[in-house]
Amino acid sequence: MTAAYNSYDIFQIPLSEPHFSDMINTDENINTKGNENVTYKEARVYLDKVSKYGSVLGLGTIRKLLCELGNPQDDLKFIHIAGTNGKGSVLAYTSTILSKAGYRVGRYLSPTVVSYLERIQVDAQWIPEDAFARLTALVQKAIACMKAAGETGPTVFEIETAIAFLYFKEQGCDLVVLECGLGGAEDATNIIKNTLIAVFTSISRDHLGILGNSLAEIAAKKSGIIKPGCRVVSSVQLPEVTEVLTQQAEIHGCPYVTADESQVKLHSESYEGQLLSYKEITNACCPLAGRHQIGNAATALETVFTLRTMGYHISNAAICQGLKETAWPGRFTCLGADPLFFIDGAHNEDAAKRLRETLETYFPGKYFIYIMGVFKDKEYEEIAKIMAPLAKSVHTVALSDTGRTLLAAELADVMRRHCQENVPVHAEETIQTAVANALMDARPDDIVLAFGSLSYLGQVMADFKRTSACGSPANTKQASDIKKEIKL
């Protein structure tokens, strides 16, 4: 039996996990034809090969795949989350609270930060490698039947979604908190029927040209997760988004609730977390830092309050304990001190605005040592405009997805255009070099921030841990030590 890791004591997990590409061609005779004894490594190689074909929106293929597998999703109940930013945080808050209330809770999320396996969890425990391999083999058999019938094969995300549904059913989950992959209406996760609550986090302009060419069009695609008989909970939205969501809820006869941030009372805040009250929940400790997390916490609480009206028993004590124990790496996560070292997955304009607000709230007047990596299909010019004015120095990196990454040299040129004069900007050869050089540059009172795509933050975490373990120029203190000092 492989080790089961709790999400997310980030310094109790292996230094790094091999990426798909690291496993290719290691054994030319790997069997990926539905062998029941397939290994985890073989399963990952198989999925990497499937991923080369890209992604396709639509429900036709996954419907056929799940039919071959006996439609495991039909035996599950879902809280379905769509949005541009904040989906993962709301998922983490909601699922942790429900676990503390005594329910067995599945989580399905993307993208991952720490490990590939974290995308599928039950009560915050990642799916074990052996279970993932076994279920991959089962799905492979179903795909073979589809192809024998002349059907198109599924995408890698559709396969992963099918594996998740099978695992959640096996594990007897009472509820599944399900994060949309892309959009809503045509996302593979929207194959589900038993949606208890459709939850919408902040919706902004992202994936333009894929989901739509305007905010209203993007909102319309995401609103497709609303189904007859479900309830709808939404974060505060821009007026054009609210109009779309409320109209869709009305069409399907679904009650609609907005998380009212004006009712949040913020008692204290720092980069270590926040102490807040919302309606009947008082003096709750929320360890996820950043002003934007206030809205995410309120959205999660409204989701839980809505479940209560549906007969679910969730005490205030369970709510407070769940909030306190929520962990979500890559969302303004502190890895160490002396110097402070943060990571954040701000990869679009709206997220960059929220990140800058957080920096200016917690560290007014400070300038920051940046590590930055983004995909070339993101709003990197806008992100640069927002973040560059607070830079003390910049270390740019390329991401492992060579087809999508913005090269380090190109990103460095963008940052130079927007940084203040004489701010040094370095295009680094590797992420490890960027982490080492940023720490080398930093004095104990400096602040290092790695931000951009979530996809490289796991590597930053591993490289920071490795540097700390070997002894770095900075007197780095790990987050596991900082956690003991938090006082809210």
Side-chain angles (χ1 to χ4, degrees):
M1 187 77 168
T2 52
Y5 298 111
N6 179 280
S7 64
Y8 295 93
D9 189 349
I10 58 176
F11 292 109
Q12 299 303 316
I13 60 171
L15 273 175
S16 62
E17 178 186 272
H19 188 266
F20 289 155
S21 58
D22 297 327
M23 300 180 179
I24 300 301
N25 297 326
T26 55
D27 181 353
E28 293 182 357
N29 297 316
I30 281 175
N31 180 354
T32 58
K33 298 185 182 298
N35 177 9
E36 289 183 357
N37 296 317
V38 66
T39 67
Y40 175 66
K41 177 180 175 181
E42 290 170 339
R44 292 290 302 276
V45 170
Y46 167 72
L47 290 171
D48 181 77
K49 291 177 179 177
V50 175
S51 72
K52 306 300 183 187
Y53 299 104
S55 60
V56 179
L57 292 174
L59 302 179
T61 301
I62 192 167
R63 180 175 288 109
K64 292 170 183 174
L65 174 60
L66 290 170
C67 184
E68 288 285 345
L69 295 166
N71 288 312
Q73 76 283 1
D74 289 348
D75 295 319
L76 300 166
K77 296 178 180 179
F78 297 92
I79 298 163
H80 203 183
I81 306 177
T84 305
N85 296 311
K87 296 191 298 294
S89 298
V90 172
L91 175 146
Y93 279 130
T94 303
S95 55
T96 308
I97 289 169
L98 292 174
S99 291
K100 292 300 169 184
Y103 294 101
R104 192 158 178 78
V105 184
R107 296 182 178 183
Y108 184 55
L109 56 108
S110 64
T112 59
V113 174
V114 177
S115 164
Y116 176 83
L117 292 172
E118 74 184 276
R119 69 193 59 233
I120 302 171
Q121 304 176 29
V122 173
D123 288 337
Q125 299 291 326
W126 303 344
I127 183 173
E129 290 182 358
D130 54 359
F132 184 86
R134 174 176 52 80
L135 293 175
T136 299
L138 183 61
V139 174
Q140 283 177 269
K141 287 185 176 182
I143 293 170
C145 292
M146 290 175 62
K147 291 185 174 180
E151 303 288 354
T152 301
T155 66
V156 68
F157 184 71
E158 289 170 330
I159 294 171
E160 291 163 346
T161 303
I163 292 169
F165 290 154
L166 288 168
Y167 185 64
F168 295 148
K169 181 178 178 180
E170 274 189 1
Q171 292 294 307
C173 289
D174 302 306
L175 294 162
V176 174
V177 187
L178 187 70
E179 182 180 337
C180 281
L182 178 64
E186 297 181 310
D187 184 76
T189 62
N190 204 35
I191 195 67
I192 62 174
K193 296 178 181 177
N194 304 322
T195 302
L196 299 180
I197 308 175
V199 181
F200 296 94
T201 62
S202 173
I203 295 175
S204 58
R205 290 176 177 83
D206 198 9
H207 301 294
L208 287 170
I210 300 174
L211 298 180
N213 295 311
S214 70
L215 189 54
E217 289 179 0
I218 292 170
K221 286 289 180 64
K222 293 182 184 292
S223 73
I225 69 169
I226 298 174
K227 295 180 174 64
C230 79
R231 313 290 179 91
V232 180
V233 173
S234 177
S235 299
V236 174
Q237 307 284 358
L238 292 171
E240 56 264 51
V241 174
T242 299
E243 182 179 2
V244 171
L245 297 181
T246 54
Q247 285 180 352
Q248 189 72 4
E250 185 177 351
I251 288 170
H252 291 295
C254 302
Y256 185 100
V257 175
T258 298
D260 186 359
E261 292 182 35
S262 68
Q263 293 196 47
V264 175
K265 294 180 180 178
L266 187 60
H267 305 298
S268 65
E269 63 175 333
S270 76
Y271 68 83
E272 297 166 333
Q274 302 167 92
L275 190 69
L276 57 81
S277 298
Y278 182 74
K279 296 185 176 179
E280 67 260 41
I281 303 303
T282 58
N283 298 315
C285 173
C286 296
L288 304 189
R291 281 288 177 89
H292 58 286
Q293 290 295 351
I294 295 172
N296 291 334
T299 302
L301 289 173
E302 285 295 350
T303 301
V304 172
F305 295 161
T306 300
L307 283 171
R308 280 174 163 178
T309 68
M310 302 171 75
Y312 288 87
H313 299 286
I314 308 160
S315 68
N316 285 356
I319 291 173
C320 289
Q321 191 65 27
L323 289 173
K324 184 177 181 179
E325 294 187 18
T326 296
W328 203 235
R331 284 74 175 178
F332 205 67
T333 304
C334 184
L335 301 187
D338 305 324
L340 287 169
F341 193 115
F342 294 93
I343 57 174
D344 190 87
H347 62 280
N348 55 44
E349 181 180 0
D350 186 54
K353 289 177 180 176
R354 292 165 184 253
L355 176 57
R356 178 165 173 173
E357 178 189 18
T358 296
L359 295 177
E360 292 176 327
T361 298
Y362 297 154
F363 308 106
K366 289 285 288 187
Y367 292 89
F368 304 86
I369 298 172
Y370 288 156
I371 301 170
M372 183 179 180
V374 296
F375 288 128
K376 62 187 176 184
D377 58 356
K378 295 298 181 180
E379 304 164 306
Y380 55 84
E381 192 81 40
E382 296 304 315
I383 296 171
K385 288 179 184 178
I386 294 164
M387 298 300 296
L390 298 184
K392 179 177 181 179
S393 65
V394 182
H395 303 264
T396 62
V397 299
L399 308 180
S400 60
D401 187 339
T402 56
R404 289 185 64 198
T405 189
L406 184 66
L407 296 177
E410 294 180 41
L411 182 54
D413 288 340
V414 172
M415 288 299 285
R416 287 189 188 102
R417 289 199 295 270
H418 300 291
C419 283
Q420 298 180 37
E421 192 175 356
N422 299 325
V423 169
V425 179
H426 311 282
E428 303 286 6
E429 291 187 5
T430 66
I431 295 169
Q432 184 175 0
T433 301
V435 171
N437 287 343
L439 288 171
M440 183 77 74
D441 291 347
R443 298 179 309 216
D445 62 344
D446 278 327
I447 301 172
V448 181
L449 170 65
F451 70 97
S453 173
L454 281 164
S455 67
Y456 88 105
L457 297 185
Q459 187 61 51
V460 172
M461 292 166 69
D463 289 335
F464 177 85
K465 181 183 178 184
R466 188 180 294 108
T467 302
S468 301
C470 295
S472 72
N475 178 28
T476 51
K477 185 192 298 181
Q478 291 190 350
S480 53
D481 299 318
I482 297 171
K483 192 175 181 181
K484 298 173 185 175
E485 302 171 4
I486 292 177
K487 294 178 181 179
L488 284 173

